Amino acid sequence: MATFADSEVASVDGTGATASPGKRTDIQGLRAIAVALVVVYHLVPAALTGGFVGVDVFFVVSGFLITSHLLTRRPTRPRHLLEFWARRIRRLLPASLLVLLVTLVATRWVAPVTQWEVTARQSAAAATYLVNWLLANDSVDYLAAASAPSPVQHFWSLSVEEQFYAGWPVLVLLVGHVAIATRIAGSLRRLRLLFLVGLGLVVALSFAWSVHLTAANPARAYFVTTTRIWELGLGGLVAALLVLRDRPLRLDPALAAVAAWIGIAAIVWTGFTYTGSTPFPGWQALVPVGGTALVLGVAAGTQAWSPGRLLALRPCQWLGDISYSVYLWHWPLIVLAPAVSGGHRGAIDNGVIVVATLVLAALTKTYVEDVFRTPSWSRRLGQTYALGAAGMAVVIAAAALLVVDLHAREDAARSELGRALRSDDPCFGAGALVASRQCPPSTGDPVPAPVLAALDKSAAYGSSDGGKDCFSALPAYPTVQCVFGDRTAERTVALVGNSHAGQWVPALQQIARQQHWKVVTYLSSRCALADVRQQFDTAEQSTACLDWVHRVTARVGAEQPDLVVVANRVSLPVEGADLADSATPYEQGYEHVLRSWSDEHLPVVVLRDTPAPGDGDVPSVPDCLASHGDDFAACAGSRADWEPADPSVAAAGAIDSPSVDVVDLNDRICGPRQCRPVVGGVVVYFDGSHLTATYARSLSPFLEPELVAAMGPKP
């Protein structure tokens, strides 16, 4: 956030002159606008779909203030950099580390145990200001990206700023040395030009990379520092223009007011019109970033017709003063509130969160932020760095303790799961839905326990082939092949599709052991095996998915396995349509793939897509179970809501080929009208869509005869 709170910088009098220190009320007003956008967006996303641009406003303000400071007191030797970074430590770390520590403790006591590890992992990364890179890596992981947000995820923007603060002063120091070495420093005009060229080159390169990466990999582009430096740097360029002048910049007050209104209008317009589908940051960020830079550059006064008058109002100034702490506190409260209220946030919950955020922010500003900025607190460099490192170590240690507690619970859950698997209970898992067995309803602690269920995934998720991830993924969708079962077997089964094919690997492994089959997988993350362009974030990604479909279809046809098993989940619309209107194009795309194999006389089994709790109102079954204990009904749903239409089944029927069969095991997952999160004492899903490995294995006795019949006898 715009965390350089000592806003006494050049141009404080609205003229652009290097005036005596004072407070620019328009900067505090911009902070108030920025934090209000972010908080409203996080509380009620539908009311302010582009409120995320508040972060970009903060970036520009931070770049402006930091560069103003560096240019008015230019660093000339390494000690100046150490002093600058020490001020950043005293300004930023006490409040941020306090919030991280409190959040970790609160997570331990109120959050579902299934959310502990991601919170601990991100808190440790946030304490060292690297969490944006962790989130960037997770954003391209289909399953990780679908996980519930952690209460410290918002620290990504602080990480970007801290990394900017680490590198930008070094750049200013180097440019200053070039100025001295080339004797440019004696001319303010030449000095300004040199700084504008040096800083501007970094801004231009970062902007170009931001445009490129946003088009190629928008999920990653949102978090990485390299796509955001230009936003802070643009604020720095405005500062350089104002500070490094040989005469005051005096704008007509009316012109400055109009320009400031245009800048604020640009910010507000994007807040209301941008959405989560807007490619960002890229060139689209120019609107809020440029608007902020314009307001900072013209430094409009407080005349009656000027926005500066509104920005100078006491409520705006107060909110701007505490904006850093507001940003720190609001998100943990939003994420953890449902764990306390026992459900979804409502209007009353949101009101309580706002009040609590403002109270905590005001207290933190007074008793933490201000305390570490007073002369009475030691300014010795060694002590500052030592205490900063100690604070980081405390947070990292607290995160580690949370993980240790979690792993102890997981180990206990594994032992319980092992005992359950050895019991040979006919009512275990899917067997409980066989009517003739008259199994009692599930009660007591399920297996795997929710803490372990979220990890109970098929071996295709990075644990097979020496840790090889068997899923092809963005951005390129390469062809990835894994082998399970008996590698020397004479008969081969090809498992093809996206993650809803991968969830069947545990069942196929068990069947392969019984039948002495080799199982070869061709799996993708999200990309369904249909010959149709699916709507990804970019055209390049859509093309990569379609290329994967063509390569895998041809490869399976060329390798002639003894049986092809296909399963897919449709989670993306086709290009040019919404998801509701995509059924027919998908059916045609599946038909093209299946017909190509049928023409090769390959036996094919299409597994009907499984019910998905996330299609109802249960985003994560383990999270829900961890929150509601033995109240399994709270995590159940209507089969009509959970069971998706499957165009691949319709495609198989349209082909009407004896070599293409459809197998539907959903009656072994759900009852006639209701789907439960626990069946036969087993947790059915490891998230909001995919079967746990344990439940998938319990389906193998029902899948095996279907596959054996489809494969037919040995030739």
Side-chain angles (χ1 to χ4, degrees):
M1 310 316 27
T3 50
F4 190 71
D6 42 325
S7 307
E8 298 94 9
V9 297
S11 181
V12 293
D13 63 351
T15 66
T18 307
S20 59
K23 201 172 195 178
R24 275 194 57 170
T25 55
D26 60 333
I27 291 178
Q28 295 300 84
L30 280 173
R31 285 172 164 158
I33 291 173
V35 80
L37 286 171
V38 172
V39 172
V40 173
Y41 170 68
H42 284 157
L43 281 172
V44 194
L48 199 64
T49 57
F52 55 83
V53 302
V55 170
D56 304 271
V57 175
F58 276 125
F59 283 160
V60 181
V61 173
S62 289
F64 175 82
L65 291 172
I66 289 299
T67 309
S68 297
H69 174 86
L70 290 169
L71 293 181
T72 52
R73 289 185 286 177
R74 286 197 296 275
T76 58
R77 59 181 188 270
R79 180 174 177 82
H80 293 163
L81 296 181
L82 293 175
E83 291 171 347
F84 170 84
W85 291 325
R87 287 192 292 272
R88 296 298 87 219
I89 290 172
R90 291 192 294 269
R91 172 66 183 94
L92 298 175
L93 261 65
S96 65
L97 295 178
L98 171 66
V99 172
L100 286 173
L101 190 59
V102 171
T103 301
L104 282 167
V105 173
T107 297
R108 169 60 180 80
W109 291 110
V110 306
V113 66
T114 49
Q115 295 178 5
W116 290 6
E117 182 152 17
V118 66
T119 300
R121 189 166 60 104
Q122 292 185 14
S123 293
T128 54
Y129 292 96
L130 296 172
V131 72
N132 65 310
W133 292 99
L134 177 64
L135 290 169
N137 292 334
D138 286 348
S139 70
V140 297
D141 180 343
Y142 172 49
L143 295 181
S147 300
S150 85
V152 298
Q153 184 170 302
H154 64 314
F155 271 77
W156 75 267
S157 61
L158 302 179
S159 297
V160 170
E161 287 203 15
E162 278 297 280
Q163 291 160 38
F164 173 81
Y165 297 154
W168 198 251
V170 176
L171 177 62
V172 172
L173 175 67
L174 293 176
V175 174
H177 279 306
V178 171
I180 295 173
T182 57
R183 302 181 182 275
I184 289 177
S187 168
L188 189 59
R189 183 173 301 178
R190 292 180 179 177
L191 181 64
R192 181 175 71 246
L193 180 61
L194 181 62
F195 270 102
L196 290 177
V197 170
L199 305 184
L201 180 61
V202 175
V203 170
L205 291 173
S206 173
F207 177 72
W209 177 247
S210 180
V211 172
H212 164 74
L213 194 61
T214 300
N217 193 346
R220 184 174 180 81
Y222 191 84
F223 292 111
V224 297
T225 307
T226 49
T227 63
R228 298 288 189 165
I229 289 296
W230 72 272
E231 300 182 31
L232 294 111
L234 187 61
L237 288 178
V238 173
L241 284 169
L242 295 181
V243 173
L244 300 176
R245 297 190 61 83
D246 50 7
R247 63 177 63 87
L249 174 65
R250 299 191 181 278
L251 295 177
D252 179 80
L255 180 61
V258 170
W261 276 119
I262 292 173
I264 291 173
I267 297 169
V268 174
W269 179 79
T270 55
F272 280 100
T273 60
Y274 280 14
T275 69
S277 61
T278 303
F280 207 85
W283 66 264
Q284 289 86 349
L286 272 175
V287 181
V289 167
T292 307
L294 186 60
V295 175
L296 292 171
V298 299
T302 57
Q303 304 92 332
W305 59 85
S306 170
R309 188 178 185 88
L310 296 177
L311 296 178
L313 292 175
R314 182 59 191 159
C316 285
Q317 293 298 293
W318 179 75
L319 184 57
D321 287 343
I322 66 170
S323 59
Y324 177 49
S325 288
V326 167
Y327 185 83
L328 288 174
W329 284 112
H330 85 284
W331 184 245
L333 291 172
I334 289 174
V335 173
L336 295 175
V340 177
S341 64
H344 300 290
R345 286 184 291 106
I348 295 177
D349 301 296
N350 287 343
V352 171
I353 288 171
V354 170
V355 172
T357 296
L358 294 176
V359 170
L360 287 171
L363 292 173
T364 304
K365 172 70 166 58
T366 301
Y367 297 107
V368 179
E369 292 186 54
D370 291 348
V371 167
F372 285 92
R373 293 169 55 221
T374 57
S376 60
W377 199 78
S378 173
R379 297 300 175 92
R380 287 178 294 179
L381 289 181
Q383 189 174 42
T384 294
Y385 283 99
L387 289 177
M392 290 180 174
V394 168
V395 172
I396 294 171
L401 287 174
L402 188 60
V403 172
V404 168
D405 189 354
L406 176 70
H407 288 176
R409 293 167 182 253
E410 290 174 357
D411 290 341
R414 286 189 182 93
S415 298
E416 184 61 31
L417 176 59
R419 285 191 292 270
L421 292 172
R422 291 191 296 270
S423 68
D424 199 24
D425 182 359
C427 291
F428 183 77
L433 292 176
V434 178
S436 62
R437 296 181 184 177
Q438 298 182 335
C439 299
S442 297
T443 57
D445 295 332
V447 294
V451 66
L452 188 60
L455 305 175
D456 191 28
K457 306 172 184 179
S458 90
Y461 290 100
S463 60
S464 63
D465 286 0
K468 178 181 179 182
D469 186 343
C470 297
F471 285 87
S472 176
L474 290 172
Y477 276 121
T479 304
V480 177
Q481 183 187 74
C482 286
V483 179
F484 299 93
D486 185 353
R487 292 172 176 266
T488 63
E490 296 180 1
R491 312 196 80 183
T492 301
V493 175
L495 176 65
V496 191
N498 57 22
S499 60
H500 272 219
Q503 69 182 348
W504 290 101
V505 167
L508 288 175
Q509 284 179 295
Q510 193 152 313
I511 296 169
R513 282 193 293 269
Q514 298 291 331
Q515 297 293 331
H516 303 289
W517 290 346
K518 177 169 70 174
V519 178
V520 180
T521 64
Y522 301 92
L523 304 173
S524 76
S525 293
R526 208 172 191 188
C527 177
L529 192 84
D531 190 7
V532 64
R533 286 187 66 87
Q534 298 162 52
Q535 182 66 65
F536 283 83
D537 292 330
T538 68
E540 291 79 8
Q541 292 176 359
S542 296
T543 299
C545 169
L546 188 58
D547 288 345
W548 177 83
V549 171
H550 291 161
R551 288 196 312 273
V552 168
T553 301
R555 185 162 176 174
V556 170
E559 293 190 352
Q560 292 287 301
D562 297 280
L563 179 66
V564 182
V565 178
V566 186
N568 290 279
R569 170 174 168 79
V570 173
S571 61
L572 294 169
V574 299
E575 283 191 344
D578 58 26
L579 198 56
D581 296 328
S582 297
T584 297
Y586 266 112
E587 180 181 338
Q588 295 168 348
Y590 284 129
E591 183 178 343
H592 187 270
V593 171
L594 296 176
R595 193 176 296 280
S596 71
W597 292 334
S598 176
D599 291 344
E600 295 282 346
H601 305 291
L602 289 178
V604 179
V605 166
V606 175
L607 293 178
R608 195 204 191 289
D609 194 15
T610 50
D615 290 344
D617 57 358
V618 184
S620 169
V621 166
D623 286 356
C624 185
L625 291 173
S627 299
H628 292 91
D630 58 2
D631 183 13
F632 299 160
C635 307
S638 163
R639 180 167 175 171
D641 292 336
W642 287 21
E643 190 170 48
D646 189 346
S648 67
V649 172
I655 293 175
D656 192 23
S657 168
S659 65
V660 179
D661 294 317
V662 174
V663 174
D664 184 351
L665 294 183
N666 286 351
D667 286 342
R668 296 289 172 260
I669 298 173
C670 295
R673 290 180 296 277
Q674 189 178 48
C675 296
R676 297 183 178 275
V678 178
V679 174
V682 177
V683 177
V684 181
Y685 299 92
F686 70 72
D687 57 7
S689 170
H690 303 84
L691 302 176
T692 61
T694 301
Y695 198 83
R697 280 191 292 269
S698 78
L699 287 165
S700 62
F702 308 100
L703 179 60
E704 184 173 358
E706 301 284 356
L707 300 187
V708 170
M711 182 181 290
K714 290 184 179 180

